[in-house]
Amino acid sequence: MRSRGALEEVGLVLSILLGVLLTYYLVRADVVSLTYGNIPLANLYLRAVPDPSSPFTSRSPEVVTSVIWDQRGYDTYFETSVLFIAIIGVLYLAGLGSGQDKSSVSTVIPRVITKILFPVIVAVSVSVALHGHLTPGGGFQGGSIFAVAPFLYLLVFGRRMLEGKGFRANALVFARSLAVFLITVVGSIVLVVGLLTGVSAFLFQNQPKPQLSPIGYPAYVVLPWGGIFLFSGTLMILNVLEFTAVSTGFTLALIIIDTVTGGRE
């Protein structure tokens, strides 16, 4: 309990410091914009999206929304679909116990199916999170998928057996707090290095920015046998941490709801 409280206090202090730094950079935004201007890709979309004659147009003055649903529409679609399917699945499975004693759900068939599906769901969720920098998906989607596994276990076997598998409230809170804290650390490392070395850098900077900042995370990792592993800088790291934060957060919410509503023990 003390370690968790200390971690949350450190995370709070670091978040406040990052907020101060962000405010400082926002105040100086006019100086930065006069010196460097927008990056070329931003200029491209800012000009092309509202322009009906451009091949990149979305015929909308809202560039951010256009990029989310047009230029990266596949990714956004799968994000929305994953969350929708997860919610519908939860509602459907929760409905199994409506109007009847919950113990009637826990027969041999759902028990066997749950034991089979549990590792499959976990494997799929981890794969979605780890490949989020390559294909549609990421930490949030993977974490949403993962939460289905403990939810099934909770419905079929009850809260006590789920907690016996390590899904205890204190452990989930600690894991979520640690993940959020590390997201803050990863997002601030490049900026801290820049401030210490006198080089321009930004919060949550991934790769070096042409004409803006020469520092950043490595995009590739050379393997011992000579291959190159696509790492994409911070993307894989942040996906894993986001996966941890979302999966533990959703699971914790399910356990709390089950406790408050007097679910099966």
Side-chain angles (χ1 to χ4, degrees):
M1 295 296 292
R2 290 184 178 179
S3 61
R4 189 186 73 191
L7 181 63
E8 292 176 348
E9 291 176 0
V10 172
L12 177 61
V13 172
L14 188 55
S15 298
I16 293 175
L17 291 177
L18 285 174
V20 173
L21 288 174
L22 180 59
T23 303
Y24 170 74
Y25 273 89
L26 288 176
V27 170
R28 295 185 64 250
D30 55 335
V31 179
V32 175
S33 62
L34 290 174
T35 306
Y36 301 109
N38 294 321
I39 62 175
L41 182 61
N43 287 327
L44 170 64
Y45 282 112
L46 288 172
R47 290 193 303 264
V49 168
D51 183 10
S53 63
S54 171
F56 300 103
T57 185
S58 296
R59 295 181 179 271
S60 170
E62 175 49 56
V63 177
V64 174
T65 301
S66 299
V67 170
I68 289 175
W69 281 110
D70 193 339
Q71 281 75 22
R72 64 182 294 273
Y74 280 116
D75 192 44
T76 304
Y77 169 79
F78 283 109
E79 290 176 8
T80 307
S81 299
V82 166
L83 186 58
F84 173 78
I85 294 172
I87 293 173
I88 295 299
V90 167
L91 293 176
Y92 173 77
L93 291 172
L96 292 176
S98 59
Q100 58 180 326
D101 182 70
K102 286 191 176 183
S103 62
S104 62
V105 180
S106 186
T107 61
V108 64
I109 294 177
R111 284 175 176 266
V112 172
I113 292 177
T114 299
K115 289 182 178 180
I116 295 174
L117 288 182
F118 191 95
V120 174
I121 294 172
V122 171
V124 170
S125 67
V126 172
S127 177
V128 170
L130 291 179
H131 292 86
H133 63 300
L134 300 174
T135 58
F140 183 85
Q141 296 87 334
S144 301
I145 296 172
F146 180 92
V148 177
F151 178 72
L152 279 174
Y153 210 92
L154 182 67
L155 281 178
V156 175
F157 294 100
R159 188 174 67 252
R160 290 190 183 278
M161 291 193 67
L162 179 63
E163 291 175 344
K165 293 291 184 180
F167 291 90
R168 294 181 295 274
N170 288 340
L172 294 172
V173 170
F174 177 80
R176 175 165 166 68
S177 301
L178 180 61
V180 174
F181 170 74
L182 291 178
I183 288 175
T184 306
V185 172
V186 172
S188 61
I189 286 179
V190 174
L191 176 60
V192 171
V193 172
L195 292 175
L196 293 177
T197 59
V199 177
S200 297
F202 308 92
L203 283 171
F204 283 93
Q205 179 172 328
N206 182 354
Q207 299 299 299
K209 309 300 179 186
Q211 301 178 352
L212 292 178
S213 178
I215 58 178
Y217 285 80
Y220 301 95
V221 175
V222 179
L223 300 176
W225 50 86
I228 295 180
F229 177 67
L230 183 61
F231 196 68
S232 297
T234 60
L235 297 186
M236 179 180 285
I237 300 174
L238 292 176
N239 275 335
V240 171
L241 295 176
E242 180 72 5
F243 167 79
T244 304
V246 172
S247 61
T248 54
F250 280 0
T251 304
L252 179 63
L254 292 171
I255 292 176
I256 292 175
I257 291 173
D258 184 76
T259 303
V260 172
T261 57
R264 291 181 59 231
E265 293 294 331

